[in-house]
Amino acid sequence: MRLTTKDKILDVAEALFAEHGFNDTSLRTITSKAGVNLASVNYHFGDKKTLVRAVLNRYLEAFMPAVQDALITLNLNHTYTMSDVFESLREPLRALGDIRPNGTSRFMLLIGRGYTDVQGHLRWFITTRYQETLSLFTQSVLKANPNLTQETLFWRLHFTLGTCVFTMASSQALMEIAENDYEKQMDAKYIVDQLIPYLAAGVAA
C-alpha cells in the first residue's frame, strides 16, 4: 500500500522527533528525508507545531479512549486500589505496539520529548482535547488514595512521567542487558508489565 504524502511526512517526522527531539528537528530536515517540499508540509499541517500535535495524536486518538473506557469500568466499583487505576493503562499502552511498529516505546518517548523540549503547546493540546480522560484519571488516583494533596499528586505524576521517559529512552539497552543476564526474550510490552506495578506503588506511597 502506497503512503500518501501526508502519512509519509508524519512517519518521517515521528522518527526524527523521537530520535532528535522536537527542538532539534527542523522542517527542512523532515522535508529532505521525506522527499517532499515545504509547501506540502504547509498544505497538510500549516506549521511545525501542528505537525508535532498530529504526530502524537496518531497515538493519543487510540490510547485515550481506551484508557477512558477502562477507567469508567473501574469506577463502577465502590472501592479500588492504586494498582487497579494503573492497570487501566496496561492494555491501552500494550495495544499501541499493534497500531504502529514499536508503538508503545515510541509513544512514551514522544510524550517525554514534549516535556523535556518544553513544548507548551503540546501540553495545552493534550489537556484540552483529552481533558475528560485526564480528569477521570486524576479523580481515580485521588479516590484510590484520598490522603494525596493536589501538590503531592502533581509531583508524583511528574515523577511517573520521568520514570516512563527514562525507561523507554533506554529500552533497547535495558532489554539487551536483561536478555543477556536472564536469558529471556523481552519487548516493550514486557517492560510495560514491569513498569505498571512500580508506578502504582510510587503514586500510592
Side-chain angles (χ1 to χ4, degrees), residues 9-61:
I9 294 168
L10 285 169
D11 285 352
V12 169
E14 178 183 310
L16 290 171
F17 288 152
E19 184 177 356
H20 302 292
F22 298 117
N23 292 339
D24 293 332
T25 301
S26 67
L27 286 181
R28 184 183 296 277
T29 304
I30 293 169
T31 55
S32 174
K33 193 97 171 178
V36 302
N37 55 38
L38 188 58
S40 296
V41 177
N42 291 333
Y43 173 76
H44 289 291
F45 303 102
D47 57 21
K48 184 179 174 182
K49 287 182 179 179
T50 306
L51 175 58
V52 167
R53 296 171 195 169
V55 164
L56 200 54
N57 200 48
R58 292 203 289 182
Y59 292 100
L60 290 170
E61 65 186 6

Side-chain angles (χ1 to χ4, degrees), residues 60 63-75 80-93 107-108 111 115 126-127 130-146 148-150 152-162 164 195-204:
L60 290 170
F63 177 68
M64 288 296 195
V67 170
Q68 184 166 332
D69 288 346
L71 289 171
I72 288 172
T73 300
L74 176 65
N75 276 277
Y80 50 78
T81 66
M82 195 69 74
S83 292
D84 296 327
V85 176
F86 276 83
E87 279 296 326
S88 300
L89 304 177
R90 186 192 298 267
E91 287 309 315
L93 275 175
F107 168 68
M108 295 175 79
I111 286 285
Y115 277 79
I126 296 171
T127 55
Y130 299 103
Q131 181 178 19
E132 189 176 347
T133 303
L134 294 173
S135 295
L136 182 56
F137 181 77
T138 302
Q139 291 165 15
S140 301
V141 167
L142 291 172
K143 184 177 176 182
N145 187 351
L148 285 177
T149 65
Q150 288 288 346
T152 302
L153 179 60
F154 167 82
W155 286 111
R156 290 190 184 179
L157 289 181
H158 280 276
F159 296 153
T160 294
L161 180 62
C164 293
L195 198 56
I196 292 294
Y198 177 84
L199 298 177
V203 177

